[in-house]
Amino acid sequence: MSLSSAAQPSTPAVTGARLESLTNWPLTERLPVLFLGHGSPMNAIEDNAYRRSWQALGTELLERGPRPRLILCISAHWITRGWQLTAMEDPRTIHDFGGFPQALFDQQYPAPGSPAMAQAISAVLSQPGSGAPLGLDDLEWGLDHGTWSVLKPMFPDASIPVIQLSMDYSRPPAEHFELGRQLRALRDRGVLIVGSGNIVHNLRAIRREAADNQAYDWAIEFDRITGDHIAQGRLEALDGFRDLGPLAQMAHPTWDHYLPLLYAAGAVEEGEEPRVFNEGFQIASISMRSVIWG
């Protein structure tokens, strides 16, 4: 599937008039935006540094307030034609993996959905390129492991409504970043934006015996370049990752785990400083670098 042949984005900005559909959502203190490297699904249940950092982050977010009225998660694992939002009352917990212990398949995250919130967001946001409203999925999807594996440690009582936003893999990276820009306005309405993927993700090259501080040279270099863009506020440069050629191809044989970073980066307000955590690698070819802005 070619991404480079797709049209460049022509998406209208989210204006005050378009925000009228959110009049029932009072303005709040601006919530942070997160990018979380989720790595192996086993991180959801193992007592390791990554899971403990998600637990601490959830506690921090609830203590400093305000409590999110909604979590909007962009996971590497929901790919669609066109963009969609989950719009069911009770999204199912999806176990979209194989070869793991039964304890992982037994995990459930019964967070409620919100059809009303999904409909309101659909009316506010526009699909890049076409300008059409986002689609609503009230039946097929749910919460995949890119979402529940990080949210369950963060918010274990599963009381905050969760909506997933899909990604149209056929569209160029710039359009994913542009849709992230539209998400900015939601942060002032009590919505916590979470991108869940990995800055480096190559399952073909895994080394199960590798320690968390060990990785391939190409993985370290791609992670460093991306980390420098984030640290220096060059967020618009992130959608040009394919310009790195063979280095990018090694870091991401497919782009699905990188794209959630573009949504999170697009939702960052000018001047917000990043805080990086979970720097390290799993199985030599998965970067766990994570970032919070705001």
Side-chain angles (χ1 to χ4, degrees), residues 35-41 43 48-51 53-54 150 197-201 212 223 276-283 285-291:
F35 174 74
L36 301 179
H38 65 248
S40 167
N43 292 327
N48 59 30
Y50 304 122
R51 184 169 181 268
S53 78
W54 299 336
V150 294
N198 293 100
I199 286 176
V200 174
H201 187 268
D212 285 350
D223 181 69
V276 177
F277 59 101
N278 279 358
E279 295 174 274
F281 291 83
Q282 283 197 308
I283 51 183
S285 61
I286 296 178
S287 167
M288 295 297 289
R289 181 186 296 270
S290 301
V291 191

Side-chain angles (χ1 to χ4, degrees), residues 15 56-58 64 75 135 144 148 153 163-164 171 175 205 209 226 270:
T15 65
L57 179 59
R64 73 177 185 174
S75 163
D144 60 55
W148 64 259
I163 291 174
Q164 278 200 214
R171 307 305 296 170
E175 293 193 3
E209 74 279 7
T226 305
E270 186 174 354

Side-chain angles (χ1 to χ4, degrees), residues 123-171:
V124 169
L125 305 184
S126 298
Q127 302 208 30
S130 71
L134 303 189
L136 296 172
D137 172 15
D138 61 1
L139 183 63
E140 294 295 329
W141 203 245
L143 305 180
D144 60 55
H145 84 268
T147 293
W148 64 259
S149 71
V150 294
L151 294 187
K152 186 168 186 177
M154 289 175 65
F155 307 110
D157 67 358
S159 62
I160 302 171
V162 179
I163 291 174
Q164 278 200 214
L165 168 61
S166 74
M167 304 185 301
D168 186 340
Y169 189 85
S170 71
R171 307 305 296 170

Side-chain angles (χ1 to χ4, degrees), residues 5-23:
S5 62
Q8 292 301 306
S10 57
T11 307
V14 178
T15 65
R18 291 174 62 207
L19 287 173
E20 288 179 358
S21 62
L22 301 182
T23 52

Side-chain angles (χ1 to χ4, degrees), residues 12 41 62 121 134 167 175 179 195 223 228 231 252 258:
L62 292 178
I121 293 172
L134 303 189
M167 304 185 301
E175 293 193 3
L179 187 48
D223 181 69
D228 286 348
H252 291 280
Y258 185 88

Side-chain angles (χ1 to χ4, degrees), residues 26-49:
L27 289 169
T28 66
E29 177 185 334
R30 180 174 297 145
L31 290 182
V33 56
L34 315 177
F35 174 74
L36 301 179
H38 65 248
S40 167
M42 289 297 292
N43 292 327
I45 60 174
E46 291 182 337
D47 181 22
N48 59 30

